[in-house]
Amino acid sequence: MGCQLMVRALQQSRQPINVAGSATESMEIIKGLSANRFDVAIISADLKDGPLTGFRAVREARACCPQIRIVMLVDSPRRDFVVEGFRAGADGVFSRDESFEMLCKCIRAVCAGQVWARSDQLRFVTEALATGGTEPSRWQRDTPADKREES
């Protein structure tokens, strides 16, 4: 339902945003992105096929469609969500607690090639980089090696 509400809001918005498709499961997302030309994909961290499966979907989308800009939609701007979103390959991380107007700005900025994150979220990323950031993420550690190689 959240996906449908976002699609309707974007379609009815005064912003020049054209919604070309929507999906709620990882495989649907990758199949849709591979079959069509999109400028920006908004991928939620939590999808119908499981909590936090959106991070894997972002990795797969980045691998199969490197030209598409990706916004990772997270439930809260927690440090681990923000850092993992960028590690997965997102061009922007957007929290559901932000306004719809900010989402529209985020989409336009990412479409124009900019990176989107709030200042405090960028601090999370720079701190992760400064501390080495080479340790596999929690999601990579929890995924068997043969599954990681597939994505």
Side-chain angles (χ1 to χ4, degrees), residues 6-72:
M6 182 182 297
V7 166
R8 174 146 302 179
L10 288 169
Q11 288 171 333
Q12 294 176 350
S13 152
R14 293 177 293 165
Q15 306 296 324
I17 297 172
N18 179 29
V19 179
S22 66
T24 57
E25 294 183 7
S26 300
M27 292 309 296
E28 288 178 325
I29 292 170
I30 302 308
K31 186 187 251 184
L33 292 176
S34 297
N36 301 291
R37 187 187 179 308
F38 296 102
D39 295 321
V40 177
I42 301 170
I43 301 177
S44 178
D46 297 325
L47 299 170
K48 237 182 183 178
D49 48 332
L52 307 177
T53 55
F55 292 100
R56 185 179 66 238
V58 169
R59 277 189 187 82
E60 292 173 9
R62 178 62 60 218
C64 77
C65 310
Q67 76 286 357
I68 295 174
R69 310 272 186 210
I70 301 172
V71 174
M72 181 95 235

Side-chain angles (χ1 to χ4, degrees), residues 46-118:
D46 297 325
L47 299 170
K48 237 182 183 178
D49 48 332
L52 307 177
T53 55
F55 292 100
R56 185 179 66 238
V58 169
R59 277 189 187 82
E60 292 173 9
R62 178 62 60 218
C64 77
C65 310
Q67 76 286 357
I68 295 174
R69 310 272 186 210
I70 301 172
V71 174
M72 181 95 235
L73 184 63
V74 295
D75 286 337
S76 74
R78 287 181 14 192
R79 175 184 302 269
D80 56 339
F81 288 172
V82 171
V83 171
E84 186 60 24
F86 284 109
R87 271 192 184 134
D91 298 291
V93 173
F94 190 85
S95 176
R96 291 181 193 272
D97 66 356
E98 297 181 64
S99 71
F100 179 74
E101 290 78 21
M102 290 304 288
L103 175 61
C104 293
K105 283 184 177 184
C106 171
I107 293 168
R108 285 194 313 273
V110 168
C111 186
Q114 297 176 21
V115 172
W116 182 273
R118 296 186 328 213

